[in-house]
Amino acid sequence: MVAGTGWWAVGHYTGKVHRVPHAFPTDVPKDQQPASSKDGQTFLLVGVDARSELPTTGTDAKAPPWKPGAQRSDTMMLVHLPSDHATAYVVSLPRDTWVTVPGRGEAKLNAAFSWGGPPLLIDTVQRLTDVRVDHLAVIDWSGFRKLTDAVGGVDLSVAGGPARHMNGAQALEYVRERHDLPRGDLDRTHRQQNYLRAVLSKVLSGDNVTHPVRTKRLLDRLTESVSVDDRLSDDELRDLIWDSRSLRPAQMVFMNAPVARTGTIRGQSVVLLGGRDASALWKAMREGAMDDYVARHPMDRLRPVVR
């Protein structure tokens, strides 16, 4: 009965998820696009600073998800999910990463979303990594606050100190901070990963997946807050959720993309990705060998939660 009720809920709510139309680039020749990964799928998760008082993502959206120059992507993570769904690999791409934006020249990575929305950001990320982006998920700051409050807030450690319980507004301030962090953008991405891990821990906790009222409230907030690309069908989304039902944050690996160096270009603080470790990471993601990469390479990895 529990399994049947769970399956009904999955089916009911996946049909309500808001879709982002025309999320993928259509002007890139097929032979210039990366091939699909040999094992599993790769998702691009984007947190958007919409600078709008109205929601721009999820079924609660009252404004378009993107307008030229109106939004920037402050959070970008590639999430590689192997076909066995036994783990997931979350790789943050710092917003200050210096890249070549197709048709626009050199700029920070988050400018790609501002200039061309999801299609230009996906095209830029694919050219940077040579990893195929299979699907996209987007949440704005309004949705961020709603989702955090829907799970009852999250416990986050600040500067290695004891964890503090934070509501949506406090957690948003936590993930957006970077100027007072020792490593700037690189420490900020770890804060974003720490937040994602904390939210997933709450979402997948026993109370939220077994208590009918809490489950409904949480699913309502999820569908109100998050948008996905229109290539992700209801059937695919149901299968994704069902196949990942046993995955827990403790089984996931959170890391920053390998950095060659940081510096200043045109008066802007930038992050330059690269080096052998970066090439090996993108190759491992393409070839379904992430477990081998994790075992053999040094990583700027999010520390495990200390219990």
Side-chain angles (χ1 to χ4, degrees):
M1 183 173 64
V2 172
T5 302
W7 185 250
W8 173 87
V10 169
H12 175 71
Y13 281 97
T14 52
K16 295 174 63 177
V17 175
H18 180 257
R19 295 323 202 266
V20 177
H22 316 299
F24 288 84
T26 57
D27 57 351
V28 181
K30 190 173 182 179
D31 61 356
Q32 294 183 23
Q33 298 187 31
S36 298
S37 297
K38 293 181 180 178
D39 177 68
Q41 292 182 309
T42 302
F43 297 74
L44 179 59
L45 305 187
V46 181
V48 178
D49 180 0
R51 300 179 186 179
S52 168
E53 295 183 0
L54 299 175
T56 64
T57 60
T59 56
D60 204 31
K62 303 286 192 302
W66 170 76
K67 293 192 300 184
Q71 301 107 329
R72 293 205 174 205
S73 47
D74 278 2
T75 303
M76 290 157 285
M77 300 178 183
L78 283 174
V79 180
H80 184 72
L81 188 63
S83 56
D84 62 5
H85 296 260
T87 187
Y89 302 93
V90 181
V91 181
S92 287
L93 302 172
R95 52 164 275 171
D96 289 347
T97 300
W98 194 251
V99 297
T100 299
V101 180
R104 298 281 190 157
E106 294 184 326
K108 293 184 179 183
L109 181 58
N110 69 337
F113 190 93
S114 178
W115 289 335
L120 188 58
L121 177 60
I122 290 175
D123 190 16
T124 303
V125 169
Q126 290 188 152
R127 292 175 188 268
L128 174 67
T129 64
D130 199 27
V131 171
R132 184 182 185 88
V133 173
D134 296 295
H135 293 294
L136 172 80
V138 186
I139 186 169
D140 67 6
W141 296 141
S142 173
F144 180 101
R145 289 190 295 268
K146 286 181 184 177
L147 182 57
T148 307
D149 291 335
V151 299
V154 291
D155 297 324
L156 298 170
S157 174
V158 179
R164 285 177 45 204
H165 189 74
M166 300 185 187
N167 61 24
Q170 293 166 331
L172 180 57
E173 183 177 347
Y174 169 85
V175 300
R176 296 184 74 181
E177 174 63 45
R178 69 189 179 112
H179 293 296
D180 292 332
L181 302 177
R183 300 191 306 154
D185 206 22
L186 300 179
D187 283 340
R188 187 190 201 206
T189 52
H190 276 324
R191 283 194 170 201
Q192 294 164 354
Q193 294 167 4
N194 195 29
Y195 165 80
L196 176 60
R197 182 171 62 186
V199 166
L200 289 175
S201 296
K202 294 292 289 286
V203 168
L204 299 172
S205 69
D207 288 346
N208 280 321
V209 297
T210 60
H211 192 288
V213 175
R214 290 177 182 173
T215 300
K216 182 182 183 302
R217 183 166 60 238
L218 176 61
L219 291 173
D220 282 339
R221 292 296 175 266
L222 278 169
T223 54
E224 287 174 3
S225 305
V226 181
S227 298
V228 299
D229 67 90
D230 57 0
R231 291 186 184 179
L232 185 60
S233 69
D234 288 348
D235 286 343
E236 288 177 305
L237 188 52
R238 280 193 290 269
D239 289 344
L240 172 66
I241 296 171
W242 189 254
D243 292 341
S244 303
R245 65 191 182 279
S246 298
L247 180 61
R248 294 293 181 269
Q251 300 164 299
M252 302 172 67
V253 178
F254 296 84
M255 71 181 90
N256 282 334
V259 173
R261 62 182 178 89
T262 59
T264 303
I265 297 179
R266 300 175 193 166
Q268 304 176 70
S269 297
V270 302
V271 174
L272 297 170
L273 304 184
R276 292 181 180 179
D277 290 334
S279 298
L281 172 60
W282 310 135
K283 181 180 179 182
M285 201 171 284
R286 291 192 299 270
E287 297 184 354
M290 286 296 293
D291 55 344
D292 183 67
Y293 178 89
V294 170
R296 294 174 177 271
H297 291 80
M299 294 178 293
D300 182 10
R301 183 172 178 174
L302 181 66
R303 293 179 181 179
V305 175
V306 178
R307 299 296 182 185

